[in-house]
C-alpha cells in the first residue's frame, strides 16, 4: 500500500514554544491531507483538512491560529502547534488520499507524532 | 448525530483462539465502512473497506461483515497471534465526501500465551 511518513515520531517541548510536524506522501501525490488528534483511549478526532495550494479547512472548535497548517506541495503538509501548552499534549496523526479527485478513495495514515508539552 | 459504537471496549484472548469484534453505526448517508488496526503509538493501518453492496470481505485472517440494513459490522479474527494485540477501529465514511470519516472508539485486543 501507499506510504505516508510523519516526522518526528515524538517530540517534547517547553510550554510556550512552537512545534512543527511534517506529513509526507512518499509514493503518491495527495491534493488533500487530513490532520487528526487522538487522546488516550479515545477516537481519532479530525482537526482540519489540508488542501494543496489553498487554506486549510478547520473543524469546529479547532483554533486555526494555534494549529497552523501549510500544504505547499502535493506530497507535503505541515502542522505547527504554536505557543504549545500542556493541554496540547496528544498524539497527532495525518492521513493522505491518493489522487486529486473526490469520491471514495483509500486514506493512508502516518505513524503519528507524540507531542508532550512540559 | 453520526456515531460509531464498538464493542467490547477491550478483550483478552489466548493465542490461537478466534474472536469477533462488533461495530454499530448511525452514520447517514453511508458510503463505506472500514476496519483499521492501530498498534500502540502508531497510526491506523487499513484492514478492509466495504461499500454498501458488500456483505463480507477478507484480508488474510481478518474477515469483516457488513449488514447495511441493521447498520452493523463485525470483524472476525481467526487463529489469533500475539502480533494481533492492538486497537481495532471501525470507521464509517459519509456519501459524497470521502474526507468525512467517523471513527469508533475502538476495541483494545490483547492476545496472550
Amino acid at each position: 500500500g501507499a506510504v505516508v511518513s510523519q516526522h518526528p515520531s515524538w517530540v517534547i517541548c517547553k510550554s510556550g514554544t512552537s512545534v512543527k510536524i511534517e506529513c509526507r506522501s512518499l509514493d503518491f501525490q495527495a491534493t488533500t491531507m487530513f490532520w487528526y488528534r487522538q487522546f488516550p483511549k479515545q477516537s481519532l478526532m479530525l482537526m482540519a483538512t489540508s488542501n494543496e495550494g489553498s487554506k486549510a479547512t478547520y473543524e469546529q472548535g479547532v483554533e486555526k491560529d494555534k494549529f497552523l497548517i501549510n500544504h505547499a506541495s502535493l506530497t507535503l503538509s505541515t502542522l505547527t502547534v504554536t505557543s504549545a501548552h500542556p493541554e496540547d499534549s496528544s498524539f497527532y496523526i495525518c492521513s493522505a488520499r491518493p489522487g486529486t479527485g473526490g469520491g471514495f478513495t483509500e486514506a493512508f495514515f502516518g505513524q503519528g507524532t507524540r507531542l508532550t508539552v512540559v | 448525530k453520526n456515531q460509531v459504537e464498538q464493542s467490547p471496549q477491550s478483550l483478552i484472548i489466548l493465542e490461537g483462539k478466534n474472536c469477533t469484534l462488533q461495530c454499530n453505526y448511525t452514520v447517514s448517508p453511508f458510503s463505506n465502512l472500514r476496519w483499521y488496526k492501530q498498534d500502540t503509538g502508531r497510526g491506523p493501518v487499513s484492514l478492509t473497506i466495504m461499500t454498501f453492496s458488500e456483505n463480507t470481505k477478507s484480508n488474510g485472517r481478518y474477515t469483516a461483515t457488513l449488514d447495511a440494513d441493521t447498520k452493523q459490522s463485525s470483524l472476525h479474527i481467526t487463529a489469533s497471534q500475539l502480533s494481533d494485540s492492538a486497537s481495532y477501529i471501525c470507521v464509517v465514511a459519509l456519501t459524497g465526501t470521502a474526507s468525512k470519516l467517523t471513527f469508533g472508539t475502538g476495541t483494545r485486543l490483547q492476545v496472550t500465551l
Side-chain angles (χ1 to χ4, degrees), chain B residues 60-79:
Chain B
R61 295 181 294 103
Y62 301 103
T63 299
T65 65
L66 173 64
D67 185 333
D69 292 330
T70 61
K71 297 186 178 181
Q72 295 180 326
S73 176
S74 67
L75 180 69
H76 186 74
I77 303 175
T78 304

Side-chain angles (χ1 to χ4, degrees), chain A residues 34 36 38 41-44 46 49 59 91 93 97 103-107 109-112 114, chain B residues 31-32 34 36 38 41-46 49 51 89 96 98-101 103-106:
Chain A
F34 309 92
Y36 296 86
Q38 185 179 32
K41 298 184 180 180
Q42 293 189 20
S43 300
L44 276 71
L46 180 64
T49 301
E59 296 298 301
F91 193 55
I93 306 174
R97 279 195 292 139
F104 165 41
T105 55
E106 174 63 279
F109 289 84
Q111 71 269 39
R114 171 72 60 191
Chain B
S31 173
N32 59 83
R34 315 165 185 211
Y36 287 89
Q38 185 179 21
R42 308 286 292 180
V45 174
S46 178
I49 300 177
T51 59
I89 306 172
S99 63
K100 288 296 184 182
L101 303 179
F103 288 78
T105 52

